[in-house]
Amino acid sequence: MTEIAHSNLHRTAWGDWWEGTRRTDIWWTLAWFDIVLRYRRSMLGPLWLTLSMGAMVGGMGPLYSALFGTELSKFFPHLALGIIFWTFFSSIVMDSCNAFINSGNYLKQGYFPISLFVWRAMARNLIQFAHHIVLYIPVAIWAGISLKMHALLFLPAFALFLINAHMLGLVLGLVCTRYRDVAQIVTSIMQMLMFLTPVFWLPESLPGRGRYILWNPLAQMLDLLRAPLMGNLPDIHNWTGILIWTVVNLAAASWLFSKYRRRVVYWL
């Protein structure tokens, strides 16, 4: 066992990351167990996720449509997907900040590749997202949205999101474990970005000089995911922007992971 532990600790950064990534049996089971524990002794269990999100979307749709003077059949799908995806985004970011801190018991008791716990946080949020996205089906049927072939663009967009989420999870997990105040800063930034991202409002309602707000990478990612599901084509500039952010995230995560991954256990 000593030789195995010694060998594991001296793996390359790539080998360390791959060891955590390939153990889907561990991180998926831990994620599912997290959901089960959260809703233990509850009659509806994870269905509370769907009901609470449905109540929020159903209550806000008519209200915000009237406030913005927009036809409900056009605004309701936009708002529903905006809230569903933003909840997904913000949950992953917040969980990434505490991915290693909340897994300290595992990391202190034995060797585990730290990428495993980022995947755990992502898997937990994917389960919650699966409960939320079903709400869009009745909304789309009611609004008469017909999906076309370019709806398949959702798949590469979602793959890009998962890549960026994992890389950002590694970065935030490392930084927030070392500097605990960063998690509070990230929370404040996400609250601000919620209003700078077209979650509750339509991008075309912005004045000419205000459209720089749409350079926000979360706004670009939201367009790539939402537009295909509404029967529209995402803006080509958003594809370019997200590809650039993907390269930046990969570079930052690779550098931090290779340099600091062995120090995480000492920061807990």
Side-chain angles (χ1 to χ4, degrees):
M1 290 297 293
T2 304
E3 288 186 355
I4 294 175
H6 182 79
S7 170
N8 285 336
L9 287 172
H10 288 79
R11 279 196 178 111
T12 63
W14 167 255
D16 197 3
W17 176 84
W18 175 245
E19 179 64 21
T21 300
R22 73 180 186 87
R23 295 307 305 268
T24 55
D25 56 329
I26 297 178
W27 51 260
W28 189 261
T29 301
L30 288 173
W32 185 258
F33 191 59
D34 290 339
I35 298 294
V36 170
L37 282 179
R38 182 177 300 179
Y39 294 96
R40 186 174 55 180
R41 298 180 183 273
S42 170
M43 291 180 63
L44 296 179
L47 286 178
W48 279 114
L49 296 169
T50 308
L51 292 175
S52 60
M53 178 65 71
M56 180 187 298
V57 172
M60 295 179 67
L63 173 62
Y64 276 73
S65 175
L67 287 174
F68 293 126
T70 307
E71 185 181 351
L72 185 59
S73 61
K74 176 184 178 182
F75 184 75
F76 208 12
H78 175 89
L79 178 69
L81 286 176
I83 293 176
I84 290 169
F85 282 124
W86 182 262
T87 301
F88 189 35
F89 294 170
S90 59
S91 296
I92 283 186
V93 170
M94 295 299 102
D95 280 2
S96 295
C97 291
N98 297 304
F100 305 142
I101 297 170
N102 292 340
S103 303
N105 290 336
Y106 296 102
L107 290 167
K108 290 176 182 177
Q109 290 177 12
Y111 170 77
F112 287 95
I114 66 172
S115 63
L116 184 149
F117 299 102
V118 176
W119 286 117
R120 173 195 184 182
M122 288 181 61
R124 182 169 60 244
N125 283 283
L126 278 170
I127 295 170
Q128 295 176 341
F129 172 72
H131 285 83
H132 291 159
I133 196 62
V134 296
L135 292 169
Y136 182 64
I137 297 174
V139 172
I141 294 172
W142 174 82
I145 292 175
S146 58
L147 298 181
K148 303 174 184 177
M149 282 300 295
H150 52 247
L152 295 175
L153 289 173
F154 173 80
L155 298 178
F158 197 70
L160 275 175
F161 170 73
L162 293 180
I163 292 170
N164 279 278
H166 184 67
M167 296 301 106
L168 187 62
L170 288 173
V171 171
L172 289 177
L174 288 166
V175 174
C176 292
T177 303
R178 179 63 181 88
Y179 304 103
R180 303 299 172 93
D181 291 337
V182 173
Q184 305 303 319
I185 297 172
V186 171
T187 300
S188 300
I189 291 174
M190 290 300 293
Q191 290 174 347
M192 177 187 67
L193 287 177
M194 181 175 65
F195 298 102
L196 298 179
T197 302
V199 177
F200 307 112
W201 45 271
L202 297 168
E204 52 265 32
S205 64
L206 285 174
R209 287 187 298 178
R211 298 189 68 83
Y212 71 90
I213 292 175
L214 299 179
W215 295 355
N216 163 14
L218 289 177
Q220 295 175 332
M221 192 75 252
L222 182 58
D223 178 66
L224 297 187
L225 293 171
R226 179 163 57 187
L229 296 182
M230 293 184 63
N232 302 321
L233 277 172
D235 195 318
I236 187 64
H237 298 294
N238 291 333
W239 285 107
T240 305
I242 289 301
L243 287 173
I244 292 172
W245 277 104
T246 302
V247 172
V248 172
N249 278 335
L250 281 170
S254 299
W255 181 75
L256 284 171
F257 183 73
S258 61
K259 189 174 180 64
Y260 297 109
R261 70 186 191 280
R262 296 192 183 103
R263 302 186 189 180
V264 169
V265 70
Y266 303 107
W267 293 341
L268 293 171

